[in-house]
Amino acid sequence: MMYKKTFRIMLLAMMLLSATSMRAAVDPNFYIFLCFGQSNMEGAARPEAQDLKSPGPRFLLMPAVDDAQRGRKMGEWCEAVPPLCRPNNGLTPADWFGRTLVKSLPENIRVGVIHVAIGGIKIEGFMPSEITEYVKTAPNWMKGMLEAYGNNPYERLVTLAKKAQQDGVIKGVLMHQGESNTGDPEWANKVQKVYDQLLGDLQLKPEEVPLLAGEVVQANGQGQCIAMNKQIQELPKTIHTAQVISSTGCTNLADRLHFDAAGYRELGCRYGEKMAQLLGYTPVRPNIEMPKKVEVPADAVTAENAIPGNEFPKVDKQRRAYFRINAPQARKVVVDICSKKYDMQSDGQGGFMAVTDPLPVGFHYYFMNIDGVNFVDPGSETYFGSHREAGGLEVPEGPEGDYYRPQQGIAHGQLRSIYYHSPNSKIGEWRHALVYTPAEYELAKNAKKRYPVLYLQHGMGEGETSWALQGKIQHIMDNAIASGEAVPMLVVMESGDIKAPMGRGQGMGDYGSSFYPVLLNDLIPYIDANFRTKTDRDNRAMAGLSWGGHQTFDVVLNNLDKFAWLGTFSGAIFGLDVKTAYNGVFANADEFNKKVHYMYMNWGEEDFIKSGEIVRQLREMGINVDSSESPGTAHEFLTWRRGLHEFIPHLFKK
């Protein structure tokens, strides 16, 4: 008997000790807050970089659903980094509520949140007496969200709250709800029922657990549900411990229903400041990185490359470019132009802007990048370059650029789009080319007149439209012919098989060489058969920029029976031995000079491809070659516009 009595005493002592240990596990300095509501509590704005920086172990989340991607399990505390609600939700007021409390409260106090919210849910969805019927009639788009909480969001909130009470003390309830109950005269009473039920189920006193209710989006008086704010403001008349959190000045998304990231930060801080005051502490705001506003000067004008109806891109008188894009879900946006990347600044409302350093005059490709993905600015016309479509920006020259601008009072030629069949292509195909015809070509009096032809090639990664769109060849030709600088001629532009990147295992010398038989055996015969051309070598020229210059050397110098005029602009001609190249074509200078009536090479002062050394060597051998260096330009279309403008006055005049 004595043994049994002793055993009972020991068992009782162990039970008491266990209960004492469990009670000791409750940390009175761990403040827990219950957060519930609809879409603005759920989080409709994508978190930005500053939101994703963890505030540290003092701000914790007990997830209400599993999140395998982030290694979160329902009911297990983790650091409170967005999304707090469910895996695919965004920033919420609770994020910066917690950050504000962490900043305001002593360092020995931790803050934890339990977060249950469903976009579009009425307050009835949190009422235990109504939830069964509510689930039955819920719209299809809401069913998956309800299922995430076992079709009972209130029960999920209470279950986790009871578990959290083993770790800390519940100090408040945060609610952002009402948009779906706008105009419901019983809303306040229904909120009271939810609040009272929570307090009863968790054995809490209302004086110790206030309810903080946030106003809905105001949008400068244009909020979709702004009428609900009057009901929210009167909630303390029904619930004496309720505190209303103002949304005045909190910025919003374009839908005028949801806050944007900056709006959630501001509203969250206000929740936190109010709670800090109620807890007896002086509120201290965490650091919020404010958007850096890009000021656009009055002298900035919309670029000629902007698609009509778009204000941006713009260029000011200092040649600085301004870009803007609306990307409310983006975290990081960059604009890449002239070999420099500029971070675009968020305006806090889904817009991003950037201003560049002063840019060189002329045409420049550019790209935008959102979260690591390159794309074309939707405000810009597109141009094929860099082996893909790109945005383009023209930084205007002064009057010196009038030679490539359309002019009034002169006759204008045509730019024709043609398709021709090419049996000499590798697979036999229809191909596309552009043909410039001078204004007089259409006149009846010239119906029998024939014209010389310039075959003009673009560079690597560009296309048959590049000389027309980026190079402005139609205007260059019209102006030069109208002024008498150049004779009327046709200009033919083809892709040259150098639009795509160089193939794996393909040698540099082979890149674009598949175009040579196409040009000689298909394109030239087609042009001569379908246009009024002079078909002899003395009336046929070829020129090209960059890799098109390489193609020009390959074609012309191997086919001097077909061409008598030759030009390159930043020509990609490497490792050329002028004494032996092209079967020694330069070895006999007198013979070469008789066959080639004019040879020209240009490059930019800042170009990474320069032809000055080749020109020097050719001249030492007695070859007649004209040249020029474009001041202040690099490997770009302004260099090549200038080169073409200097080249064409010499053509077809011998």
Side-chain angles (χ1 to χ4, degrees):
M1 289 291 294
M2 191 67 178
Y3 172 79
K4 291 183 178 179
K5 184 177 181 180
T6 302
F7 178 76
R8 285 197 296 269
I9 293 172
M10 290 177 63
L11 182 61
L12 179 61
M14 290 175 65
M15 292 174 64
L16 290 171
L17 180 63
S18 177
T20 302
S21 298
M22 288 179 65
R23 285 195 296 272
V26 177
D27 182 357
N29 290 322
F30 185 16
Y31 292 180
I32 297 165
F33 301 89
L34 310 182
C35 309
F36 78 96
Q38 56 185 106
S39 57
N40 273 313
M41 183 57 82
E42 186 182 59
R46 188 170 184 177
E48 298 175 356
Q50 61 181 311
D51 308 310
L52 296 170
K53 297 175 183 176
S54 173
R58 287 185 59 209
F59 181 29
L60 302 177
L61 166 72
M62 179 179 280
V65 296
D66 290 337
D67 185 347
Q69 179 184 347
R70 297 172 180 84
R72 297 175 177 176
K73 292 185 178 181
M74 181 178 66
E76 296 184 5
W77 293 108
C78 62
E79 290 192 9
V81 178
L84 301 186
C85 192
R86 296 189 306 280
N88 296 319
N89 295 137
L91 191 66
T92 84
D95 282 288
W96 286 81
F97 161 80
R99 292 167 190 257
T100 302
L101 281 187
V102 165
K103 193 76 173 177
S104 304
L105 274 52
E107 291 188 2
N108 66 316
I109 296 178
R110 294 180 298 155
V111 175
V113 294
I114 300 172
H115 200 284
V116 175
I118 295 177
I121 196 169
K122 291 185 176 181
I123 192 62
E124 288 85 345
F126 290 97
M127 298 174 68
S129 61
E130 304 290 334
I131 187 61
T132 301
E133 288 301 314
Y134 191 86
V135 170
K136 290 180 182 178
T137 60
N140 288 333
W141 54 263
M142 190 186 290
K143 291 185 182 299
M145 294 184 280
L146 285 165
E147 289 172 0
Y149 299 118
N151 285 321
N152 196 328
Y154 174 85
E155 182 62 31
R156 179 65 55 86
L157 184 64
V158 169
T159 299
L160 295 178
K162 289 179 178 179
K163 183 176 182 180
Q165 284 179 310
Q166 299 174 21
D167 303 315
V169 183
I170 295 175
K171 290 288 188 176
V173 179
L174 278 61
M175 181 186 74
H176 198 285
Q177 196 281 332
E179 292 94 336
S180 295
N181 289 87
T182 302
D184 179 358
E186 292 299 313
W187 177 77
N189 292 328
K190 293 172 183 177
V191 172
Q192 183 179 29
K193 288 181 180 180
V194 175
Y195 179 58
D196 288 347
Q197 183 89 39
L198 268 175
L199 298 180
D201 288 342
L202 298 173
Q203 300 181 32
L204 300 171
K205 297 178 181 179
E207 291 76 15
E208 296 175 355
V209 185
L211 172 69
L212 276 60
E215 291 181 340
V216 302
V217 166
Q218 297 192 27
N220 297 318
Q222 301 298 313
Q224 293 278 13
C225 301
I226 193 171
M228 187 63 194
N229 280 341
K230 187 175 187 300
Q231 293 176 265
I232 295 172
Q233 291 159 7
E234 294 179 349
L235 186 60
K237 294 180 180 179
T238 303
I239 303 174
H240 73 281
T241 59
Q243 301 286 334
V244 177
I245 309 303
S246 171
S247 66
T248 300
C250 292
T251 52
N252 53 274
L253 297 176
D255 61 8
R256 293 181 286 115
L257 183 64
H258 299 100
F259 299 99
D260 59 17
Y264 283 122
R265 291 186 201 109
E266 178 62 30
L267 188 62
C269 287
R270 293 177 185 179
Y271 271 99
E273 289 169 335
K274 174 55 68 175
M275 183 56 70
Q277 290 175 341
L278 295 174
L279 292 170
Y281 297 99
T282 301
V284 180
R285 279 209 172 199
N287 179 56
I288 296 178
E289 299 171 15
M290 300 304 293
K292 298 177 182 177
K293 189 174 181 181
V294 176
E295 299 290 345
V296 182
D299 64 13
V301 297
T302 301
E304 66 176 68
N305 317 87
I307 295 174
N310 288 272
E311 184 181 359
F312 293 88
K314 285 186 169 185
V315 182
D316 67 17
K317 289 186 177 179
Q318 284 70 47
R319 307 194 312 275
R320 293 174 299 190
Y322 300 82
F323 299 93
R324 189 185 190 285
I325 188 169
N326 190 46
Q329 300 301 312
R331 296 181 183 177
K332 183 178 179 64
V333 186
V334 174
V335 62
D336 184 349
I337 186 169
C338 292
S339 302
K340 185 171 181 178
K341 294 179 173 65
Y342 299 87
D343 288 337
M344 300 187 75
Q345 303 299 322
S346 170
D347 62 8
Q349 298 182 338
F352 289 81
M353 288 192 67
V355 57
T356 69
D357 299 332
L359 301 175
V361 293
F363 175 88
H364 308 291
Y365 297 117
Y366 74 94
F367 295 97
M368 286 185 174
N369 184 293
I370 289 182
D371 298 333
V373 179
N374 273 344
F375 68 99
V376 179
D377 179 2
S380 166
E381 298 283 3
T382 56
Y383 302 84
F384 194 84
S386 304
H387 307 290
R388 57 167 291 180
E389 297 292 347
L393 181 75
E394 186 77 29
V395 180
E397 281 193 287
E400 68 274 16
D402 285 347
Y403 70 91
Y404 58 76
R405 299 185 180 113
Q407 303 295 326
Q408 293 183 345
I410 67 170
H412 297 278
Q414 294 185 1
L415 199 59
R416 305 188 183 192
S417 174
I418 66 164
Y419 286 87
Y420 68 100
H421 192 260
S422 173
N424 286 285
S425 289
K426 289 183 178 180
I427 58 173
E429 61 182 9
W430 287 93
R431 298 178 66 106
H432 181 232
L434 297 183
V435 180
Y436 167 81
T437 56
E440 67 169 55
Y441 186 88
E442 310 303 323
L443 300 179
K445 66 178 182 179
N446 295 323
K448 294 184 179 181
K449 183 176 178 180
R450 294 187 172 272
Y451 294 84
V453 185
L454 165 63
Y455 289 85
L456 184 63
Q457 290 305 115
H458 56 83
M460 181 185 293
E462 294 168 334
E464 64 272 25
T465 62
S466 297
W467 267 110
L469 298 180
Q470 294 95 296
K472 300 181 179 289
I473 187 173
Q474 181 174 353
H475 307 317
I476 294 174
M477 297 304 302
D478 286 345
N479 294 334
I481 292 171
S483 66
E485 293 179 80
V487 302
M489 68 183 81
L490 273 64
V491 183
V492 180
M493 294 152 281
E494 223 266 20
S495 73
D497 293 345
I498 57 174
K499 294 175 75 170
M502 189 178 300
R504 183 176 297 178
Q506 183 179 18
M508 287 284 287
D510 295 329
Y511 183 63
S513 62
S514 56
F515 174 60
Y516 304 160
V518 173
L519 170 66
L520 297 171
N521 302 317
D522 299 325
L523 181 56
I524 291 176
Y526 177 89
I527 296 298
D528 288 344
N530 290 276
F531 292 85
R532 300 193 309 275
T533 64
K534 295 179 179 179
T535 60
D536 60 301
R537 67 176 298 275
D538 289 331
N539 287 285
R540 190 178 295 125
M542 186 172 180
L545 69 89
S546 194
W547 200 259
H550 178 98
Q551 291 181 307
T552 297
F553 259 45
D554 283 357
V555 171
V556 173
L557 298 178
N558 283 316
N559 297 277
L560 288 177
D561 59 324
K562 295 181 176 65
F563 297 89
W565 314 82
L566 166 67
T568 68
F569 320 115
S570 304
I573 303 157
F574 310 114
L576 186 72
D577 183 346
V578 296
K579 295 179 181 179
T580 61
Y582 302 104
N583 297 315
V585 70
F586 299 119
N588 189 328
D590 290 340
E591 182 179 347
F592 181 87
N593 292 335
K594 288 178 183 178
K595 289 183 177 180
V596 177
H597 303 324
Y598 184 70
M599 180 178 179
Y600 171 83
M601 304 181 79
N602 104 309
W603 58 92
E605 182 181 16
E606 307 297 329
D607 213 321
F608 70 90
I609 297 179
K610 295 178 181 285
S611 301
E613 180 59 22
I614 296 175
V615 169
R616 184 190 67 78
Q617 294 178 24
L618 290 174
R619 286 174 177 167
E620 286 182 353
M621 295 183 68
I623 301 297
N624 295 332
V625 54
D626 200 0
S627 69
S628 69
E629 183 175 82
S630 171
T633 61
H635 203 71
E636 57 185 296
F637 261 99
L638 188 53
T639 298
W640 308 324
R641 291 175 191 169
R642 290 172 176 175
L644 181 68
H645 184 230
E646 294 179 3
F647 177 59
I648 56 176
H650 300 276
L651 296 182
F652 312 123
K653 290 187 176 179
K654 279 195 176 183

